[in-house]
Amino acid sequence: LPVGGSGSSSSTVGRDCARLPPQQLQRRPNGVSLFAVAAAAVANAPPAGLAEVRLPCGLMPSQVSDLLDRDITPDDYEMLLQLDESVARPTASRAGVERLVPANEKDFLGENCAICLIAFESSDAVKALPCAHFFHKECIAKWLLERCCVCPLCGEEALRPDN
């Protein structure tokens, strides 16, 4: 990078520093000069001592900052999926799922399972949640054991976590 010497009216870093967003100039650890931050921004590289470290969510700070400063687009799907997979969810125990009450055939015939969207048949194993929503036994078991312990329709607690 050309840096102005004596007699130079301004440096490349100085000119480009004026175009940087203020928050980029303010976010710097102690001991890292403003000049180092500006020079790195101009060169598109983090300065020494300011290297990005992956956050517990799995994203880099620049990715999170970028998501906060603009609209989400379909191109962000993979990044959002990575963020979603890093969030621990309270799930139910297998014993708790097995204790769910079987539904009466007259209550669910003519309805669809909201998880798989397939119509219930009289021969289906159907479970009822405390909120009175019905699901195929396999569908709701997978939801409660792997996804979360609330009803996928109304969000009411279906089972206590790990119960």
Side-chain angles (χ1 to χ4, degrees):
L1 293 171
V3 178
S6 59
S8 171
S9 61
S10 66
S11 68
T12 301
V13 172
R15 282 190 311 271
D16 289 335
C17 184
R19 292 192 308 243
L20 293 175
Q23 64 270 22
Q24 188 171 357
L25 297 175
Q26 292 168 356
R27 286 182 298 202
R28 57 189 172 100
N30 290 339
V32 176
S33 73
L34 184 59
F35 181 81
V37 172
V42 171
N44 249 350
L50 197 62
E52 283 196 301
V53 177
R54 194 165 297 279
L55 299 170
C57 65
L59 300 179
M60 302 300 273
S62 61
Q63 291 174 305
V64 173
S65 177
D66 183 46
L67 284 173
L68 293 173
D69 296 335
R70 64 175 174 79
D71 290 334
I72 303 297
T73 68
D75 296 332
D76 296 320
Y77 177 77
E78 292 297 325
M79 190 182 335
L80 293 172
L81 189 60
Q82 181 182 359
L83 183 62
D84 183 55
E85 289 171 350
S86 69
V87 176
R89 295 176 184 86
T91 56
S93 68
R94 182 156 302 280
V97 172
E98 292 300 322
R99 285 194 303 265
L100 285 175
V101 179
N104 292 325
E105 184 178 326
K106 65 179 177 65
D107 294 332
F108 64 79
L109 278 181
E111 301 288 329
N112 292 341
C113 174
I115 296 174
C116 69
L117 305 178
I118 296 175
F120 294 119
E121 296 181 9
S122 59
S123 60
D124 289 345
V126 177
K127 296 284 188 166
L129 295 184
C131 59
H133 288 122
F134 303 104
F135 304 93
H136 289 112
K137 178 183 176 180
E138 299 81 21
C139 296
I140 197 62
K142 183 172 180 161
W143 176 269
L144 295 172
L145 293 170
E146 297 176 16
R147 188 73 184 152
C148 62
C149 59
V150 299
C151 174
L153 286 176
C154 66
E156 188 176 311
E157 191 173 291
L159 297 170
R160 285 195 179 121
D162 295 324
N163 277 342

